[in-house]
């Protein structure tokens, strides 16, 4: 299809978290521009039971029940530019806050994670995974090893083609360690800039400079939380323009989340995609 080739020539990326709240949301609700490499990120696949007890790498899908395997197949058939990922962990399951834990046998964790995620990827016809563990014990060296080896194995076995990570200001150090050791296997960094407590374009630029020094600036994606924390409204787009005037290539954006956007007719999805397509960054 001609649109398929167009998106490759343009190379702009959109990341959209979806399904975390349990709202009966669907992919079809979200506006998708055919000129954007659009990634839905299913929220979340969790290796814990309903009480938050660790399951040693055995992941289960916990996103909205309306986001079915058939609905993934349908949206991908309508839009060849759409990819769908599963995000791992997130903040909580119900009211139980989740945390990375130290597997007794790291190789067993990796094996269990590979097997369970391969099953989810095949069932839902997914393209990749996103890493969103948000709490860590004092000594979390096993995180870099387990997650890095998992991503590497999933890619080497052609189970996935895309891997992204989603650090925020409190989890920077474990993710820097992961990126330093396995960065060649990580495609994008969906840093949660809305947690960096900046509300102005100048503050956003300063935060972006810092995160670009900690990771690869070509892989760091600007992010926006709908009706949430951090920079909001027109100031966000002023921030994107400021990034461009300071030499950054704004080739993508991440939104959290489609669930929140459903309340305002996805205005920021529309505006951000329009900005990316009109941007001169290549």
């Amino acid at each position: 299809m001609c649109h398929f080739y167009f998106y490759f020539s343009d190379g702009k990326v959109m990341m959209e978290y979806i399904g975390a709240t349990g709202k009966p949301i669907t992919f079809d609700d979200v506006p998708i521009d055919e000129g954007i490499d659009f990634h839905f990120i299913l929220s979340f696949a969790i290796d814990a039971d309903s009480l938050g007890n660790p399951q040693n790498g055995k992941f289960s899908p916990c996103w909205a029940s309306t986001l079915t395997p058939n609905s993934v197949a349908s949206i991908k058939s309508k839009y060849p530019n759409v990819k769908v990922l599963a995000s791992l962990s997130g903040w909580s399951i119900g009211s139980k806050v989740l945390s990375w834990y130290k597997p007794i046998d790291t190789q067993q964790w990796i094996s269990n994670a590979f097997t369970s995620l391969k099953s989810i990827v095949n069932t839902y016809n997914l393209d990749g995974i996103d890493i969103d563990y948000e709490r860590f014990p004092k000594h979390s060296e096993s995180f870099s090893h387990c997650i890095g080896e998992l991503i590497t194995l999933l890619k080497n076995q052609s189970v996935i083609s895309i891997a992204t990570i989603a650090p925020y200001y409190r989890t920077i150090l474990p993710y820097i360690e992961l990126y330093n050791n396995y960065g060649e296997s990580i495609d994008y960094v969906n840093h949660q800039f809305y947690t960096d407590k900046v509300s102005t374009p100048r503050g956003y630029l300063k935060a972006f400079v810092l995160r670009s020094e900690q990771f690869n600036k070509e892989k760091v994606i600007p992010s926006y939380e709908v009706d949430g924390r951090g920079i909001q409204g027109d100031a966000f787009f002023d921030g994107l323009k400021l990034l461009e005037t300071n030499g950054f290539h704004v080739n993508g954006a991440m939104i959290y989340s489609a669930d929140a956007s459903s309340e305002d007719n996805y205005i920021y999805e529309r505006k951000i995609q329009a900005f990316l397509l009109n941007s001169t960054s290549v």
Side-chain angles (χ1 to χ4, degrees), residues 76-117:
K76 290 174 76 171
S77 68
K78 290 178 184 176
Y79 294 97
N81 55 310
V82 163
K83 293 179 174 63
V84 184
L85 287 67
S87 186
L88 307 190
S89 186
W91 178 254
S92 65
I93 181 166
S95 60
K96 178 64 178 178
V97 176
L98 300 170
S99 179
W100 174 257
Y101 53 93
K102 305 174 196 175
I104 296 173
D105 182 342
T106 57
Q107 195 55 45
Q108 187 62 57
W109 189 96
I110 294 166
S111 177
N112 290 344
F114 175 82
T115 300
S116 61
L117 289 171

Side-chain angles (χ1 to χ4, degrees), residues 34-72:
E34 292 177 332
I36 296 285
D37 188 0
F38 200 106
H39 296 62
F40 282 109
I41 304 179
L42 294 167
S43 312
F44 294 90
I46 299 175
D47 61 331
D49 64 18
S50 60
L51 299 177
N53 298 312
Q55 296 297 292
N56 199 28
K58 297 176 182 177
F59 287 88
S60 300
C62 297
W63 46 77
S65 60
T66 47
L67 303 173
T68 63
N70 284 343
S71 70
V72 172

Side-chain angles (χ1 to χ4, degrees), residues 190-194 204 221-225 231 236 253-255:
N190 293 323
H191 178 73
Q192 300 176 50
F193 283 100
Y194 38 83
Y204 202 89
I221 302 293
S223 59
Y224 184 82
E225 185 175 54
I231 196 167
F236 174 71
M254 177 268 272
I255 287 186

